[in-house]
Amino acid sequence: MYKFIFEDSIISKGEKGKLVIISGPSGSGKTSICKILTKNPKIKQSVSYTTRKPRDGERDGIEYCFIEKSEFEKLINENKFIEYAEYCGYLYGTSVSTIKEAIDNEEILILAIDVKGALQIMDKMPEAISIFINAPDDETLKLRMKNRLTEDDAVIEKRFIVAREEMGYSKHYDYCIVNDRLDDAVKEIEGILNL
Ligand code: 5GP
């Protein structure tokens, strides 16, 4: 039985749905892993809200819902987020309705969120499965960040410092995976999710 504690109410649901938190620093390969996992029609990924500007190729409502800070703050005040956090100067949040819809439809829903948001979900939804993804070592992590070429050096440096902090939280997760080879990491997660 799934129990979701939210705003003083507890929503209980059957066994089929799964909420899967996936965290990991930029460069851990988390986005690539989620892309492969969501090729499986049983798996959906939550579309978060963010105040960050879209990168090249990112579409509103697909990768993220891109909104202004004032709009984000309005949604916070209206309790529309089940969790939200600031990451490198921008706000990111998961809407309550996304989660409720996934529970109702008994879906496997991936939340690819940062460690601060993940801790909030773990607290509110103890049955959620949490997975932390890491790169094999710091050099690989930095190289992957640089190879993305979408951020300038100052942003990469900032994200690297945040990455080191995030790694300290990996002990709070149910599973920690080292993403050396993408296919192996995906297989490992599929195993965890009994797919
Ligand atoms: P990026 O800007 O690289 O897309 O994401 C930066 C960080 O924000 C990543 O660690 C990503 O997982 C996290 N993130 C994305 N969506 C959410 C969300 O809804 N809530 C929280 N707490 N973090 C998020």
Side-chain angles (χ1 to χ4, degrees):
M1 185 70 86
Y2 244 81
K3 274 190 182 159
F4 294 86
I5 303 156
F6 182 70
E7 278 180 3
D8 303 328
S9 69
I10 297 177
I11 308 162
S12 299
K13 278 280 166 186
E15 298 279 355
K16 279 191 195 155
K18 278 194 186 104
L19 200 65
V20 185
I21 303 166
I22 298 191
S23 301
S26 325
S28 62
K30 179 181 55 176
T31 309
S32 310
I33 288 175
C34 291
K35 256 190 201 148
I36 298 176
L37 288 172
T38 49
K39 283 190 183 155
N40 182 331
K42 284 191 229 159
I43 305 181
K44 299 257 162 65
Q45 185 171 347
S46 161
V47 179
S48 299
Y49 286 79
T50 184
T51 60
R52 159 168 89 59
K53 297 285 166 256
R55 297 188 185 120
D56 278 355
E58 284 184 331
R59 298 146 297 171
D60 188 32
I62 307 288
E63 279 79 15
Y64 282 105
C65 295
F66 295 97
I67 59 175
E68 295 299 323
K69 196 173 176 203
S70 56
E71 210 179 327
F72 199 102
E73 284 165 347
K74 187 167 168 275
L75 293 174
I76 294 174
N77 291 331
E78 292 170 353
N79 290 319
K80 294 279 197 254
F81 293 121
I82 190 123
E83 66 74 31
Y84 67 90
E86 198 210 285
Y87 185 96
C88 290
Y90 298 104
L91 291 162
Y92 296 80
T94 308
S95 83
V96 173
S97 57
T98 305
I99 303 276
K100 282 195 172 152
E101 209 180 293
I103 298 167
D104 285 345
N105 297 333
E106 301 195 326
E107 290 167 351
I108 300 175
L109 182 72
I110 294 179
L111 305 180
I113 60 178
D114 84 324
V115 293
K116 286 174 275 173
L119 292 176
Q120 295 170 49
I121 297 282
M122 287 175 202
D123 188 40
K124 287 178 182 163
M125 303 178 176
E127 286 91 345
I129 299 164
S130 55
I131 303 172
F132 191 90
I133 297 169
N134 217 337
D137 50 61
D138 286 358
E139 285 69 36
T140 311
L141 191 72
K142 238 181 184 167
L143 196 69
R144 286 182 188 168
M145 283 186 193
K146 284 200 171 133
N147 284 345
R148 274 163 66 176
L149 289 176
T150 54
E151 323 281 10
D152 63 33
D153 280 355
V155 174
I156 290 172
E157 210 43 58
K158 196 169 171 188
R159 282 188 174 237
F160 188 70
I161 292 165
V162 173
R164 302 264 0 154
E165 286 168 17
E166 285 181 300
M167 287 174 209
Y169 286 88
S170 61
K171 58 179 178 286
H172 297 287
Y173 287 69
D174 299 323
Y175 301 92
C176 286
I177 286 179
V178 175
N179 176 22
D180 196 356
R181 284 176 40 94
L182 186 60
D183 287 353
D184 292 343
V186 170
K187 276 200 193 105
E188 216 174 316
I189 296 177
E190 287 173 340
I192 292 167
L193 302 179
N194 293 323
L195 293 168

